[in-house]
Amino acid sequence: MMPSLPPFAAPGPLVDVIAGARPNFMKIAPILRAIGQRQAAGSRLRYRLVHTGQHYDARMSGDFFQQLNIPEPDVNLEVGSGTQAEQTAAIMTRYEKLLLDARSQACLVVGDVTSTMACAIAAQKLGVPVAHVEAGIRSGDWSMPEEINRLVTDSITNWFFTTSEVANRNLLASGARPQSIFFVGNTMIDTLLSNLERLRPPDFWAGAGLQPGGYFVMTLHRPANVDDGEGFARLIDAVGRAVRGLPVVFPVHPRTAKTLAALPQRPAGLLTVDPQPYLEFNYLVRHAKGVITDSGGVTEETTVLGVPCVTLRNTTERPETVTIGTNELIGTDPSALEPALGRLFEGQWKKGAIPPLWDGRTGERIAEELDRLLAAT
Ligand code: UD1
């Protein structure tokens, strides 16, 4: 008779951790670390890191893996660029094949990028439960591809890991069961807090004569702000007027680079640089007089760093950065910039506070719940 294997020899539940685009990488790092810590303490939970390849440049992807000590992906689906539908289809097709070849017990997706939605659909259709980190946030603006991704993902999510009470309420209002919602906080903030001491100036810092509190940081990449050349030109002209001669460090996203290259002229004082690695970017933010952005994640980081932030959007899916934090939405009309920055120069910007559970322990809470949820499998 064959001897039966001791129970510890059985492999534990396998969760796919999906990452595809730049804003995913800082969100998965603390979760992977926390799973690793639980394994060291005897947990059987295992993960398979799946990079979809939506972002593939060193500057948009590789630098983040290296700086944040994220392990090499176990699988890279290498989908590359394309339209929304092309990327979605390629990710779904390749991830479905992976699951058919080697099934996991859960699929964990983070944020709101195309990879998030595409992997959630492929997994759920094969009966693999979906965990969504940063679930429940809503801008209400269906012109943003991210909002569609959030709506679709949350409509087929089994376990919702949330960053805010507003997200919890949104999910309950959409019919999610209370016991499937886990208010855990913000993994992006775990990464920020655990790297605060490692932040370092970019190599152009001294050469550009940058001084703490003596410059702005700007990031723009939303199609609504950067795809139309004339509108974009008006926007950066207005920035040039509103900053009262201070330099504006502008790490240029690949989408924005295309529009910028076609402009006949740029305002003086605009210091355009490549997309920055994590440690350099957040060093720049931490020491800036203020940040001008259309990103969502950046408004969370400025809130925790206590740096004034002006968001060039009409809506935000992260209202706590405005109601609690240092962020202010000024819309997309460039004429709103001068009065907003005027209040900053006059010392009238709100101080802000840190939202509940943005405390650096979110990855641990997620790993603990996953362990519990998957223990039976
Ligand atoms: C994506 C996310 C957005 C996120 C942003 C951060 C979606 C719908 N949008 O937008 O939520 O805030 O990432 O960066 O998922 N490109 C490169 N190199 C790369 C990756 C992309 O040159 O490594 C180029 C592509 O060819 C394309 C452009 O950048 O022309 C946009 O890339 P894409 O992945 O389509 O979306 P993002 O605008 O980056």
Side-chain angles (χ1 to χ4, degrees):
M1 216 171 83
M2 288 277 288
S4 63
L5 289 172
F8 56 78
L14 178 69
V15 54
D16 279 340
V17 175
I18 309 292
R22 183 172 62 179
N24 291 162
F25 306 136
M26 50 293 248
K27 292 173 193 168
I28 60 158
I31 302 172
L32 300 181
R33 194 172 56 241
I35 294 177
Q37 283 162 355
R38 293 188 74 80
Q39 287 170 341
S43 162
R44 293 168 59 239
L45 185 65
R46 298 174 298 143
Y47 68 80
R48 175 168 65 182
L49 178 54
V50 179
H51 192 323
T52 65
Q54 178 180 345
H55 284 177
Y56 44 84
D57 285 349
R59 292 219 149 79
M60 302 297 286
S61 173
D63 287 352
F64 290 79
F65 275 70
Q66 189 241 319
Q67 288 197 339
L68 302 179
N69 294 318
I70 304 172
E72 277 291 302
D74 297 294
V75 180
N76 193 324
L77 303 177
E78 295 182 342
V79 296
S81 299
T83 66
Q84 294 284 320
E86 284 166 350
Q87 272 184 335
T88 305
I91 296 166
M92 282 182 67
T93 310
R94 293 178 194 193
Y95 183 50
E96 179 187 59
K97 182 168 184 331
L98 176 69
L99 286 176
L100 289 171
D101 288 347
R103 190 182 171 91
S104 60
Q105 278 67 57
C107 168
L108 180 135
V109 293
V110 298
D112 55 19
V113 302
T114 302
S115 302
T116 309
M117 176 188 71
C119 289
I121 297 174
Q124 193 59 265
K125 287 206 166 196
L126 289 173
V128 174
V130 173
H132 184 200
V133 173
E134 201 185 274
I137 63 175
R138 297 286 182 270
S139 68
D141 176 359
W142 286 19
S143 71
M144 292 171 67
E146 294 82 359
E147 183 71 355
I148 310 294
N149 295 339
R150 292 180 201 116
L151 286 162
V152 173
T153 303
D154 283 342
S155 69
I156 53 169
T157 286
N158 301 76
W159 302 312
F160 304 91
F161 292 107
T162 60
T163 51
S164 71
E165 290 286 9
V166 178
N168 298 341
R169 286 199 291 276
N170 289 339
L171 289 168
L172 290 171
S174 72
R177 290 177 309 125
Q179 59 271 34
S180 64
I181 302 171
F182 306 95
F183 179 27
V184 288
N186 193 328
T187 59
M188 213 165 160
I189 301 309
D190 286 17
T191 295
L192 183 63
L193 296 179
S194 65
N195 284 289
L196 269 187
E197 302 310 317
R198 297 176 64 219
L199 301 183
R200 59 191 192 202
D203 51 16
F204 57 79
W205 174 268
L210 298 175
Q211 299 286 341
Y215 64 92
F216 285 85
V217 171
M218 178 164 77
T219 79
L220 296 171
H221 74 282
R222 299 257 159 239
N225 284 330
V226 308
D227 282 3
D228 166 52
E230 278 178 29
F232 180 62
R234 275 197 301 278
L235 190 55
I236 62 170
D237 277 348
V239 170
R241 283 193 303 278
V243 295
R244 303 191 181 177
L246 291 186
V248 179
V249 182
F250 184 22
V252 183
H253 186 278
R255 173 187 284 281
T256 313
K258 292 176 193 163
T259 312
L260 191 67
L263 289 188
Q265 58 185 40
R266 300 168 188 189
L270 194 63
L271 179 61
T272 55
V273 293
D274 283 333
Q276 292 295 297
Y278 185 84
L279 299 175
E280 287 80 357
F281 180 72
N282 281 292
Y283 183 94
L284 286 165
V285 168
R286 188 181 196 184
H287 298 285
K289 180 159 190 69
V291 171
I292 302 164
T293 192
D294 61 6
S295 158
V298 170
T299 67
E300 299 182 334
E301 291 164 337
T302 50
T303 279
V304 169
L305 294 171
V307 174
C309 182
V310 175
T311 295
L312 292 162
R313 288 173 51 189
N314 295 312
T315 58
T316 177
E317 60 289 338
R318 294 162 164 93
E320 62 282 356
T321 64
V322 178
T323 55
I324 303 176
T326 54
N327 184 25
E328 198 168 304
L329 289 186
I330 66 162
T332 53
D333 181 348
S335 66
L337 267 164
E338 225 166 329
L341 294 194
R343 279 184 287 112
L344 172 53
F345 280 110
E346 281 139 33
Q348 290 171 10
W349 206 265
K350 57 187 170 182
K351 290 281 170 272
I354 299 187
L357 294 185
W358 292 18
D359 60 357
R361 310 287 303 272
T362 300
E364 293 162 36
R365 293 185 196 106
I366 292 172
E368 190 182 336
E369 284 301 341
L370 286 175
D371 225 347
R372 192 181 60 77
L373 291 163
L374 294 171
T377 57

